[in-house]
Amino acid sequence: MKANPVYNTRYLVLVLFILLLFEKSYSQDENFWSHVKFGGNIGIGFSNDTFSGVIAPSAIYDFNDWFSMGLGLNFGYTNGSNFTATNYGGSLITLFNPFPELQLSAEFEEMGINRSIELDGAETSENYWYPALFIGAGYRVGLVSIGLRYDVLYNNDKSIYASAYAPFVRVFF
């Protein structure tokens, strides 16, 4: 499936609009950038002779001590006994910290996927876009959160991940 340029332009306009709203949401005594944190997460999974790795840099805006929201980029690679896949895309992440040690998250990803599958000596290649909606929880110590997230839109035939569950290590500084 090819990406629709109009569809992608709408996402870009929406993201720019949200960023402009964030920029105007601080008082004159505070600097917008003092509320921005950079970081991201790293995910590694092993299952049934399959390796999955994800690196996802992110930037979030801390609205207060409990709530943050931001954008991320994603890149992943999966290699199994009869397939390989590369994925790339973006995400919108929301973090909620009801108390300092607990971090709850919701993250929507839209991923472009290129994969090659070998079955019975014949190789098939696919290129398509796949949405994922992760709900997660992690234990937070200082700048680091370690936890587990679950893709509520998981589709075993289309997902790049071996399972709907994905551990994460997320760092923001």
Side-chain angles (χ1 to χ4, degrees):
M1 176 186 306
K2 292 186 178 182
N4 183 343
V6 173
Y7 184 69
N8 291 337
T9 304
R10 289 180 184 165
Y11 274 122
L12 180 62
V13 169
L14 177 64
V15 168
L16 291 174
F17 179 72
I18 290 171
L19 288 175
L20 287 174
L21 285 177
F22 285 161
E23 185 172 6
K24 299 298 180 192
S25 68
Y26 63 90
S27 73
Q28 292 184 355
D29 294 338
E30 295 180 341
N31 181 347
F32 169 81
W33 293 106
S34 68
H35 294 277
V36 175
K37 291 183 180 175
F38 297 96
N41 68 56
I42 297 170
I44 297 176
F46 300 94
S47 173
N48 298 334
D49 299 327
T50 301
F51 166 80
S52 289
V54 176
I55 185 164
S58 301
I60 60 169
Y61 182 87
D62 287 333
F63 290 96
N64 53 42
D65 291 338
W66 304 284
F67 182 71
S68 304
M69 190 174 191
L71 301 171
L73 297 174
N74 302 306
F75 177 79
Y77 175 76
T78 302
N79 189 0
S81 59
N82 63 347
F83 69 94
T84 59
T86 304
N87 60 294
Y88 52 88
S91 65
L92 176 64
I93 186 168
T94 303
L95 303 174
F96 177 64
N97 304 299
F99 52 90
E101 294 81 17
L102 177 63
Q103 184 176 83
L104 304 175
S105 63
E107 183 173 5
F108 178 75
E109 286 183 347
E110 184 72 34
M111 304 296 284
I113 297 174
N114 299 318
R115 70 179 177 177
S116 176
I117 302 170
E118 184 180 329
L119 294 173
D120 300 325
E123 187 172 315
T124 304
S125 294
E126 296 180 297
N127 297 312
Y128 58 93
W129 287 90
Y130 178 75
L133 178 59
F134 290 101
I135 305 298
Y139 179 71
R140 189 172 80 155
V141 178
L143 305 174
V144 180
S145 297
I146 299 170
L148 186 67
R149 61 187 194 161
Y150 177 77
D151 181 4
V152 298
L153 302 177
Y154 184 75
N155 178 329
N156 193 44
D157 296 328
K158 295 288 185 179
S159 180
I160 193 78
Y161 302 106
S163 168
Y165 293 96
F168 68 83
V169 176
R170 189 179 288 138
V171 180
F172 284 104
F173 51 93

